[in-house]
Amino acid sequence: MVLSDISLMTHSTPTLNKATGTRATVSNNQDIVQDPVNTGGDDNSTVSALSRQLSEAASRAEARDASLSRKELSDLAWSIKEKIGGDYIATKARYDAEVPQTDDPELLARAKQATEYINGVVTDGRGKNPFSGMPRDQLNLIIYDDSGAFTVNERRSAQHEVAQQEQAWRQVVIAKGTMEYSNTGKMTDFYKNVLEHYRGLPAIEQSQYPADYEARLLLDIAMDLSTEVPDIDSESFWNELFKGDTSLAGKPTASTEEKVAVNTDIKEP
């Protein structure tokens, strides 16, 4: 795993959603960060452009989450990820040429920056992600917004930032979990950290985990067992814990259909 530098994520006002039956985060205007694109314009206009987009996207996301079941939300999430990921290569030229339907120079500049960044990922590595350092809940508003408010390359850029933040978080929690197991022979605090992380995810991300994922973690925390862990240094072992069978005691492995892809990173364009 590669540890990437990221800014600390913030939390925003929780709202109840039908998909999980729990509270998930939706950004409010006070939490919306400044548009990272800087074209030399007035800072206030820059903030308002992105704030307006995120506020509108948050309203759409809230309505979506309230109207869909967890399964429906999961199906939608995977179809969107396939569109901007798996199906991307076949339509790359069209997406590279995509520009926002606006004459706002801030929005045009950000879309251009996103395209340059996505293309730079597999070429010279140049270009800055326009959404670097944004909170994860706001990034998800961009990724899963199918309204056309954001270009596909903007959504891919946001998805790439989420993948880097997830990877960085895993790197830290794995190190802590390994140390805990080495010192105590247990993984209870590790499970607690994973549960806290999961509960902080937006509903559309939670829906991509097995439906009983939280229940498994709560059971493992409650059992607080000392268990022999097979191949604790294996990356596949940790990946299985994050999105597969959480039990170190060897519960039956989840079915292929139930397992969720571990690697959240976007495919190279």
Side-chain angles (χ1 to χ4, degrees):
M1 290 189 180
V2 178
L3 180 60
S4 303
D5 292 330
I6 60 170
S7 300
L8 292 177
M9 291 179 285
T10 61
H11 299 282
S12 50
T13 306
T15 57
L16 188 65
N17 67 79
K18 176 182 175 182
T20 63
T22 59
R23 293 189 178 273
T25 57
V26 175
S27 300
N28 55 40
N29 288 338
Q30 287 74 24
D31 292 332
I32 290 174
V33 300
Q34 179 172 328
D35 190 335
V37 175
N38 182 3
T39 60
D42 180 75
D43 285 345
N44 290 331
S45 64
T46 302
V47 172
S48 64
L50 185 57
S51 294
R52 181 178 64 254
Q53 283 186 300
L54 291 175
S55 178
E56 292 170 354
S59 296
R60 289 189 290 269
E62 187 172 6
R64 175 200 66 206
D65 294 352
S67 64
L68 298 179
S69 68
R70 183 188 178 99
K71 177 63 166 58
E72 291 169 334
L73 194 59
S74 176
D75 290 343
L76 175 63
W78 286 111
S79 68
I80 289 174
K81 292 179 77 170
E82 184 66 18
K83 173 185 175 181
I84 66 177
D87 293 342
Y88 179 80
I89 299 299
T91 50
K92 183 181 185 312
R94 177 161 62 89
Y95 291 146
D96 282 352
E98 184 183 11
V99 295
Q101 299 301 306
T102 179
D103 57 1
D104 188 324
E106 303 292 348
L107 303 186
L108 293 171
R110 190 196 322 132
K112 179 181 179 181
Q113 181 178 338
T115 295
E116 292 174 348
Y117 169 74
I118 288 298
N119 282 281
V121 167
V122 292
T123 55
D124 52 18
R126 289 185 295 180
K128 176 179 172 58
N129 191 332
F131 305 114
S132 177
M134 281 184 62
R136 188 161 177 162
D137 58 343
Q138 293 176 13
L139 292 166
N140 276 279
L141 292 176
I142 297 169
I143 296 168
Y144 297 103
D145 189 289
D146 238 354
S147 69
F150 302 96
T151 67
V152 168
N153 281 339
E154 284 181 291
R155 295 165 70 188
R156 283 175 63 81
S157 296
Q159 186 182 37
H160 200 181
E161 175 65 12
V162 165
Q164 290 184 316
Q165 291 185 9
E166 174 73 15
Q167 191 175 47
W169 171 78
R170 289 189 186 189
Q171 187 80 6
V172 172
V173 81
I174 284 172
K176 290 181 178 179
T178 303
M179 182 65 70
E180 179 189 7
Y181 178 73
S182 176
N183 292 335
T184 69
K186 298 182 179 182
M187 300 289 287
T188 306
D189 287 343
F190 167 81
Y191 287 134
K192 289 178 179 179
N193 287 331
V194 174
L195 177 60
E196 181 182 10
H197 178 70
Y198 170 77
R199 285 176 169 174
L201 296 177
I204 195 146
E205 277 206 86
Q206 289 185 5
S207 73
Q208 296 167 59
Y209 286 71
D212 63 345
Y213 188 71
E214 181 170 346
R216 294 179 188 178
L217 290 170
L218 288 169
L219 178 60
D220 288 322
I221 292 169
M223 292 177 69
D224 190 31
L225 296 177
S226 296
T227 309
E228 183 177 354
V229 179
D231 197 11
I232 193 171
D233 294 325
S234 167
E235 183 173 343
S236 63
F237 168 76
W238 291 104
N239 287 337
E240 185 70 10
L241 285 175
F242 283 124
K243 284 195 174 181
D245 185 357
T246 67
S247 175
L248 292 174
K251 286 186 239 175
T253 304
S255 67
T256 301
E257 292 76 19
E258 183 185 24
K259 288 185 178 180
V260 181
V262 169
N263 187 4
T264 58
D265 209 349
I266 60 174
K267 294 181 180 179
E268 294 181 345

Coordinates of all heavy atoms in Angstrom, one line a residue, residues 166-206:
E166 N -8.9 6.8 1.5 CA -9.1 5.4 2.1 C -7.8 4.7 2.3 O -7.6 4.0 3.3 CB -10.1 4.7 1.2 CG -10.3 3.2 1.6 CD -11.2 3.1 2.8 OE1 -11.9 4.0 3.2 OE2 -11.3 1.9 3.3
Q167 N -7.0 4.7 1.3 CA -5.7 4.0 1.4 C -4.8 4.5 2.5 O -4.2 3.7 3.2 CB -5.0 4.1 0.0 CG -3.8 3.2 -0.1 CD -3.2 3.3 -1.5 OE1 -3.0 4.4 -2.0 NE2 -2.9 2.2 -2.1
A168 N -4.8 5.8 2.7 CA -4.0 6.4 3.8 C -4.6 6.0 5.1 O -3.8 5.7 6.1 CB -4.0 7.9 3.6
W169 N -5.9 6.0 5.2 CA -6.5 5.6 6.5 C -6.2 4.2 6.8 O -5.9 3.8 8.0 CB -8.1 5.8 6.4 CG -8.8 5.2 7.6 CD1 -8.9 5.7 8.9 CD2 -9.4 3.9 7.7 NE1 -9.5 4.8 9.7 CE2 -9.9 3.7 9.0 CE3 -9.6 2.9 6.7 CZ2 -10.5 2.6 9.4 CZ3 -10.3 1.8 7.1 CH2 -10.7 1.6 8.4
R170 N -6.3 3.3 5.8 CA -6.0 1.9 6.0 C -4.6 1.7 6.5 O -4.3 0.8 7.3 CB -6.3 1.1 4.7 CG -7.7 0.9 4.4 CD -7.9 0.0 3.2 NE -9.3 -0.1 2.8 CZ -9.7 -1.0 1.9 NH1 -8.9 -1.9 1.4 NH2 -11.0 -1.0 1.5
Q171 N -3.7 2.4 5.9 CA -2.3 2.3 6.3 C -2.1 2.5 7.8 O -1.4 1.8 8.4 CB -1.4 3.3 5.5 CG 0.1 3.1 5.6 CD 0.6 2.0 4.8 OE1 -0.1 1.4 4.0 NE2 1.9 1.7 4.9
V172 N -2.7 3.6 8.3 CA -2.6 3.9 9.7 C -3.3 2.9 10.6 O -2.7 2.4 11.6 CB -3.2 5.3 9.9 CG1 -3.3 5.6 11.4 CG2 -2.4 6.4 9.2
V173 N -4.5 2.5 10.2 CA -5.2 1.6 11.1 C -4.6 0.2 11.1 O -4.7 -0.6 12.1 CB -6.8 1.5 10.7 CG1 -7.0 0.6 9.5 CG2 -7.6 1.1 11.9
I174 N -4.1 -0.2 10.0 CA -3.4 -1.5 9.9 C -2.2 -1.5 10.8 O -1.9 -2.5 11.6 CB -2.9 -1.8 8.4 CG1 -4.1 -2.3 7.6 CG2 -1.9 -2.9 8.4 CD1 -3.8 -2.4 6.1
A175 N -1.4 -0.4 10.8 CA -0.2 -0.3 11.7 C -0.7 -0.4 13.2 O 0.0 -1.1 14.0 CB 0.5 1.0 11.5
K176 N -1.8 0.3 13.5 CA -2.3 0.2 14.9 C -2.8 -1.2 15.2 O -2.5 -1.7 16.4 CB -3.4 1.2 15.1 CG -2.9 2.7 15.1 CD -4.1 3.6 15.3 CE -3.6 5.1 15.3 NZ -4.8 6.0 15.5
G177 N -3.5 -1.8 14.3 CA -4.0 -3.2 14.5 C -2.9 -4.2 14.7 O -3.0 -5.1 15.6
T178 N -1.9 -4.1 13.9 CA -0.7 -5.0 14.0 C 0.0 -4.8 15.4 O 0.3 -5.8 16.0 CB 0.3 -4.7 12.9 OG1 -0.4 -4.8 11.6 CG2 1.4 -5.7 12.9
M179 N 0.1 -3.6 15.8 CA 0.7 -3.3 17.1 C -0.1 -3.9 18.2 O 0.4 -4.5 19.2 CB 1.0 -1.9 17.3 CG 1.7 -1.5 18.6 SD 3.3 -2.1 18.7 CE 4.2 -1.1 17.5
E180 N -1.5 -3.7 18.1 CA -2.4 -4.2 19.2 C -2.3 -5.7 19.3 O -2.2 -6.3 20.4 CB -3.8 -3.8 18.8 CG -4.8 -4.3 19.8 CD -6.3 -4.0 19.4 OE1 -6.5 -3.6 18.2 OE2 -7.2 -4.3 20.2
Y181 N -2.3 -6.4 18.1 CA -2.2 -7.8 18.1 C -0.9 -8.3 18.7 O -0.8 -9.3 19.5 CB -2.4 -8.4 16.7 CG -2.3 -9.9 16.7 CD1 -3.3 -10.7 17.2 CD2 -1.2 -10.5 16.1 CE1 -3.3 -12.0 17.1 CE2 -1.1 -11.9 16.1 CZ -2.1 -12.6 16.6 OH -2.0 -14.0 16.5
S182 N 0.2 -7.6 18.3 CA 1.5 -8.0 18.8 C 1.6 -7.9 20.3 O 2.2 -8.7 21.0 CB 2.6 -7.1 18.2 OG 3.9 -7.4 18.7
N183 N 0.9 -6.9 20.9 CA 1.0 -6.6 22.3 C 0.0 -7.4 23.2 O 0.3 -7.7 24.3 CB 0.8 -5.1 22.6 CG 2.0 -4.2 22.1 OD1 3.1 -4.7 21.9 ND2 1.7 -3.0 21.8
T184 N -1.2 -7.6 22.6 CA -2.2 -8.2 23.4 C -2.8 -9.5 22.8 O -3.5 -10.2 23.5 CB -3.4 -7.2 23.5 OG1 -4.0 -7.1 22.2 CG2 -3.0 -5.9 24.0
G185 N -2.5 -9.8 21.6 CA -3.1 -11.0 21.0 C -4.5 -10.8 20.6 O -5.2 -11.8 20.2
K186 N -5.0 -9.6 20.7 CA -6.4 -9.3 20.3 C -6.4 -8.2 19.2 O -5.4 -7.6 18.9 CB -7.2 -8.8 21.6 CG -7.3 -9.8 22.7 CD -8.1 -9.2 23.9 CE -8.2 -10.2 25.0 NZ -9.0 -9.7 26.1
M187 N -7.7 -8.0 18.7 CA -7.9 -7.0 17.6 C -9.1 -6.1 18.0 O -9.7 -5.5 17.1 CB -8.0 -7.7 16.3 CG -6.9 -8.5 15.9 SD -5.4 -7.6 15.4 CE -6.0 -6.9 13.8
T188 N -9.5 -6.1 19.2 CA -10.7 -5.4 19.6 C -10.7 -3.9 19.2 O -11.7 -3.4 18.7 CB -11.0 -5.5 21.1 OG1 -10.9 -6.9 21.4 CG2 -12.3 -5.0 21.5
D189 N -9.6 -3.2 19.5 CA -9.5 -1.8 19.2 C -9.5 -1.6 17.7 O -10.1 -0.6 17.2 CB -8.3 -1.1 19.8 CG -8.4 -1.0 21.3 OD1 -9.6 -1.0 21.8 OD2 -7.4 -0.8 22.0
F190 N -8.9 -2.5 17.0 CA -8.9 -2.4 15.5 C -10.3 -2.5 15.0 O -10.7 -1.7 14.2 CB -8.1 -3.6 14.9 CG -8.3 -3.8 13.4 CD1 -7.7 -3.0 12.5 CD2 -9.2 -4.7 13.0 CE1 -7.9 -3.1 11.2 CE2 -9.4 -4.9 11.6 CZ -8.7 -4.1 10.7
Y191 N -11.1 -3.4 15.5 CA -12.5 -3.5 15.1 C -13.3 -2.2 15.4 O -14.1 -1.8 14.6 CB -13.2 -4.7 15.8 CG -12.8 -6.1 15.3 CD1 -12.4 -7.1 16.2 CD2 -12.7 -6.3 13.9 CE1 -12.1 -8.3 15.7 CE2 -12.3 -7.6 13.4 CZ -12.0 -8.6 14.3 OH -11.6 -9.8 13.9
K192 N -13.0 -1.7 16.6 CA -13.7 -0.4 16.9 C -13.3 0.7 16.0 O -14.2 1.5 15.6 CB -13.3 0.0 18.4 CG -13.9 -0.9 19.4 CD -13.4 -0.5 20.8 CE -14.0 -1.4 21.9 NZ -13.5 -1.0 23.3
N193 N -12.1 0.8 15.6 CA -11.6 1.8 14.6 C -12.3 1.6 13.2 O -12.7 2.6 12.6 CB -10.1 1.8 14.4 CG -9.4 2.3 15.6 OD1 -9.9 3.2 16.4 ND2 -8.2 1.8 15.9
V194 N -12.4 0.3 12.8 CA -13.1 0.1 11.5 C -14.5 0.4 11.6 O -15.1 1.0 10.7 CB -12.9 -1.4 11.1 CG1 -13.7 -1.8 9.9 CG2 -11.4 -1.7 10.9
L195 N -15.2 0.1 12.7 CA -16.6 0.4 12.9 C -16.8 1.9 12.9 O -17.8 2.4 12.2 CB -17.1 -0.2 14.2 CG -18.6 0.1 14.6 CD1 -19.5 -0.5 13.5 CD2 -18.9 -0.5 15.9
E196 N -16.0 2.6 13.6 CA -16.2 4.1 13.6 C -16.0 4.7 12.2 O -16.7 5.6 11.8 CB -15.1 4.7 14.5 CG -15.2 6.2 14.6 CD -14.1 6.8 15.5 OE1 -13.2 6.1 15.9 OE2 -14.2 8.0 15.8
H197 N -15.0 4.1 11.5 CA -14.8 4.6 10.1 C -16.0 4.3 9.2 O -16.5 5.2 8.5 CB -13.6 3.9 9.5 CG -13.2 4.2 8.1 ND1 -12.8 5.5 7.7 CD2 -13.3 3.5 7.0 CE1 -12.6 5.5 6.4 NE2 -12.9 4.3 6.0
Y198 N -16.5 3.1 9.3 CA -17.7 2.7 8.5 C -18.9 3.5 8.8 O -19.6 4.0 7.9 CB -18.0 1.2 8.8 CG -19.3 0.7 8.2 CD1 -19.4 0.5 6.9 CD2 -20.4 0.6 9.1 CE1 -20.6 0.0 6.4 CE2 -21.6 0.1 8.5 CZ -21.8 -0.1 7.2 OH -23.0 -0.5 6.7
R199 N -19.2 3.8 10.1 CA -20.3 4.6 10.5 C -20.2 6.0 10.0 O -21.2 6.7 9.9 CB -20.5 4.6 12.0 CG -21.1 3.3 12.5 CD -21.1 3.2 14.1 NE -21.9 2.1 14.6 CZ -22.0 1.8 15.8 NH1 -21.4 2.5 16.8 NH2 -22.8 0.8 16.2
G200 N -19.0 6.5 9.8 CA -18.8 7.9 9.3 C -18.9 8.0 7.8 O -18.9 9.2 7.3
L201 N -19.1 6.9 7.1 CA -19.2 7.0 5.6 C -20.6 7.4 5.2 O -21.6 7.1 5.9 CB -18.9 5.6 5.0 CG -17.5 5.0 5.2 CD1 -17.4 3.7 4.6 CD2 -16.4 6.0 4.6
P202 N -20.7 8.1 4.1 CA -22.0 8.5 3.5 C -22.8 7.2 3.2 O -22.2 6.1 3.0 CB -21.7 9.3 2.3 CG -20.3 9.8 2.5 CD -19.6 8.7 3.3
A203 N -24.1 7.3 3.2 CA -24.9 6.1 3.0 C -24.6 5.4 1.7 O -24.6 4.1 1.6 CB -26.4 6.5 3.0
I204 N -24.3 6.1 0.6 CA -24.0 5.5 -0.6 C -22.7 4.6 -0.6 O -22.6 3.6 -1.3 CB -24.0 6.5 -1.8 CG1 -24.1 5.8 -3.1 CG2 -22.7 7.4 -1.7 CD1 -24.8 6.5 -4.2
E205 N -21.8 5.0 0.3 CA -20.6 4.2 0.4 C -20.9 3.0 1.4 O -20.4 1.9 1.1 CB -19.4 5.0 1.0 CG -18.6 5.8 0.0 CD -17.2 6.0 0.5 OE1 -16.4 5.2 0.2 OE2 -17.0 7.1 1.0
Q206 N -21.7 3.2 2.4 CA -22.0 2.1 3.3 C -22.8 1.0 2.5 O -22.6 -0.2 2.8 CB -22.9 2.6 4.4 CG -22.2 3.5 5.5 CD -23.1 3.9 6.6 OE1 -24.2 3.4 6.7 NE2 -22.6 4.7 7.5

